[in-house]
Amino acid sequence: MAHTSLNQYLTQVDEAINSRDGDSLAELVSFKHPHVANSRLQLERPETQCEQWFEPPYDEMIAAHLKCTWCVASHDFVEAYAYQSVVVQSFNKAFQSHKDDKWALPVMYAVTLDLRKFAHSADIQLTKKGKGKPGEKLEKAADTMLGCFRICAADSRASLEDSKKWGMLYLVNQLFKIYFKTNNLQLCKPLIRAIESSSIRDGFSISQRVTYRYYTGRKAMFDNDFKSAEEYLMFAFQRCHRSSRSNKRLVLIYLLPVKMMLGHMPKVSFLKKYDLLQFADIAKATSTGNLRLLNQAMEEHEAFFVKCGVYLILEKLKTITYRNLFKKVYLLMKVHQLPIDAFLTALKFMGVDDVDSDEVQCLLANQIYQGYIKGYISHQHQKLVISKQNPFPPLETFLSS
């Protein structure tokens, strides 16, 4: 393909369109294919030749693709993104005219993937030049891709086997990547609703379902729906191919905090297997009520946790750490009326110096309200009165509900 002439390339494209060969056409418009490195095809003005070969909208689509290869060769990703947008918009016109057929789905996958990648590269270039706002091109790319999604979702005429609906989940996953990148998670809701209400949601490929559950799990985590997050991320982790160790590790970065929020602490051997020892001291500190160790571990690995987007979730583990520290006080004193000063002493021992009796009572009241402790505070006697039956309920009994 490196020495293919323009006429040879256009002939191949024409044959793929006429024979409705989606896989071949997808290769011929994909930037994963070696033809994009062919200088003979990197053209600034290919419109005339394309108009001679193709009917609209394919003439516009192929011309925009060739202009895009010219821009990429010149490292101009802003213009490359603009032309790739034309590729997708032209494809949508053709795609919508394909009645009762999904042969062009591979083409849609190829052109939308490249659109997202070029939008990301364009945003980086613009940011370096001090132009535009962060994520602007990605947001516009998402709008363009939604056009594809609507065509797929609205295909009710075809038989299920030939339905364009089979392209929905791929697009949803691409849109998730954009919305997470641009921090527009609220835009995921209608997409999730569309997939969950679809009769074919369990029929998509396992790789697409794993990606989907990875993102829906992360969204549930940010929504503080830890039980759903655990379910979705466990699906992604267990169904992810065993050879994809890096992908399994990526899922674990979010699954581990969720598991810990539900009271399930990972073993050091497991963390070592996936090179995630950053969570070792977090788990140890939380389970033992060691606030000092938790703060040290959070500070030591702050950059890693912030980069992964789990720092604020891990901060919430302090509530469980307080609970386990207070439980230690109860186990040591072995009474059901515990003086507030005992908790104050425990906190100061853990390095929490800027706290007084009133603040300890606030902490205890919060623990009682959230279900971590069964009891009440006697302000008159300055004591925490705890239940004689299971005063510190197992976390899974109320956090998993």
Side-chain angles (χ1 to χ4, degrees):
M1 208 64 177
H3 304 291
T4 301
S5 69
L6 177 61
N7 274 346
Q8 288 173 322
Y9 169 77
L10 295 176
T11 300
Q12 291 174 359
V13 172
D14 189 49
E15 288 174 352
I17 293 171
N18 290 329
S19 62
R20 294 146 66 95
D21 185 348
D23 290 327
S24 294
L25 183 57
E27 286 190 344
L28 291 166
V29 293
S30 169
F31 275 79
K32 288 183 177 180
H33 194 261
H35 78 272
V36 298
N38 183 350
S39 59
R40 295 183 182 185
L41 304 181
Q42 296 165 358
L43 302 173
E44 187 177 2
R45 295 183 180 85
E47 290 88 352
T48 302
Q49 295 96 319
C50 291
E51 286 169 4
Q52 291 171 354
W53 275 87
F54 308 109
E55 294 293 325
Y58 285 112
D59 58 341
E60 186 181 26
M61 176 180 167
I62 302 306
H65 173 67
L66 295 173
K67 289 162 86 170
C68 192
T69 63
W70 179 76
C71 293
V72 171
S74 306
H75 299 285
D76 184 350
F77 291 106
V78 177
E79 282 298 299
Y81 159 74
Y83 287 124
Q84 189 64 26
S85 293
V86 175
V87 171
V88 177
Q89 290 163 0
S90 302
F91 167 78
N92 278 348
K93 295 175 187 175
F95 193 42
Q96 198 161 19
S97 70
H98 299 167
K99 306 299 182 185
D100 302 330
D101 206 330
K102 62 176 175 59
W103 72 266
L105 282 181
V107 184
M108 183 189 76
Y109 300 155
V111 297
T112 52
L113 174 64
D114 287 335
L115 179 66
R116 179 177 63 80
K117 289 183 174 180
F118 287 142
H120 178 58
S121 298
D123 280 332
I124 291 173
Q125 278 196 340
L126 288 170
T127 300
K128 287 180 178 177
K129 294 177 182 177
K131 297 179 180 179
K133 64 175 185 177
E136 182 178 5
K137 299 300 183 186
L138 274 172
E139 289 177 1
K140 289 182 178 178
D143 290 339
T144 304
M145 289 163 64
L146 278 171
C148 297
F149 179 79
R150 292 187 190 102
I151 293 171
C152 292
D155 187 14
S156 57
R157 293 164 298 196
S159 66
L160 196 57
E161 185 180 349
D162 297 321
S163 176
K164 296 183 182 74
K165 288 181 185 290
W166 291 109
M168 289 169 61
L169 193 56
Y170 180 89
L171 289 169
V172 165
N173 288 336
Q174 291 295 322
L175 288 164
F176 279 170
K177 290 176 183 179
I178 292 176
Y179 294 151
F180 272 78
K181 188 77 177 175
T182 58
N183 198 26
N184 282 315
L185 300 194
Q186 74 280 3
L187 298 177
C188 296
K189 286 184 179 180
L191 300 177
I192 294 172
R193 204 179 304 123
I195 296 300
E196 294 302 322
S197 63
S198 172
S199 60
I200 61 172
R201 70 176 184 272
D202 295 327
F204 293 107
S205 71
I206 191 63
S207 62
Q208 289 186 15
R209 287 162 65 199
V210 164
T211 303
Y212 174 73
R213 284 305 176 201
Y214 166 70
Y215 282 108
T216 53
R218 284 181 63 186
K219 185 179 185 306
M221 180 187 77
F222 292 130
D223 291 340
N224 293 322
D225 182 359
F226 297 115
K227 190 57 184 172
S228 295
E230 181 188 33
E231 178 189 342
Y232 302 154
L233 291 168
M234 277 297 292
F235 178 95
F237 180 73
Q238 291 173 342
R239 303 297 178 91
C240 188
H241 198 278
R242 69 177 68 180
S243 64
S244 301
R245 186 178 176 278
S246 60
N247 285 343
K248 279 184 170 287
R249 183 179 184 271
L250 193 59
V251 175
L252 281 174
I253 287 173
Y254 304 98
L255 180 57
L256 288 170
V258 167
K259 284 278 193 184
M260 287 191 279
M261 285 299 298
L262 293 172
H264 307 298
M265 302 301 154
K267 294 181 179 178
V268 174
S269 57
F270 182 79
L271 296 174
K272 194 171 183 179
K273 177 181 177 181
Y274 288 98
D275 190 25
L276 286 170
L277 286 171
Q278 295 93 331
F279 291 97
D281 281 345
I282 300 288
K284 181 181 178 181
T286 304
S287 60
T288 59
N290 192 331
L291 279 166
R292 181 183 280 108
L293 180 60
L294 180 66
N295 290 330
Q296 288 172 351
M298 290 289 288
E299 185 177 345
E300 181 181 353
H301 303 294
E302 180 179 355
F304 173 77
F305 295 142
V306 169
K307 182 182 177 182
C308 296
V310 296
Y311 185 86
L312 294 178
I313 298 296
L314 293 174
E315 273 274 303
K316 293 180 181 180
L317 287 173
K318 280 187 178 179
T319 304
I320 299 176
T321 310
Y322 280 125
R323 177 258 192 197
N324 291 336
L325 175 62
F326 296 158
K327 185 180 179 181
K328 277 188 170 182
V329 173
Y330 158 68
L331 292 173
L332 282 169
M333 301 190 73
K334 296 179 181 177
V335 293
H336 289 88
Q337 294 186 22
L338 300 155
I340 299 300
D341 282 347
F343 299 107
L344 182 60
T345 301
L347 287 168
K348 289 188 179 294
F349 179 74
M350 283 297 168
V352 186
D353 296 319
D354 56 342
V355 65
D356 58 24
S357 179
D358 288 340
E359 288 173 300
V360 172
Q361 291 183 56
C362 284
L363 286 171
L364 290 169
N366 190 44
Q367 293 269 312
I368 294 167
Y369 175 74
Q370 294 186 55
Y372 289 94
I373 299 174
K374 289 165 69 176
Y376 64 91
I377 298 171
S378 172
H379 297 287
Q380 182 181 357
H381 299 98
Q382 287 290 291
K383 287 186 177 181
L384 172 69
V385 182
I386 57 173
S387 170
K388 292 183 179 180
Q389 290 187 335
N390 209 9
F392 291 84
L395 296 174
E396 60 269 18
T397 61
F398 62 94
L399 289 176
S400 298
S401 58

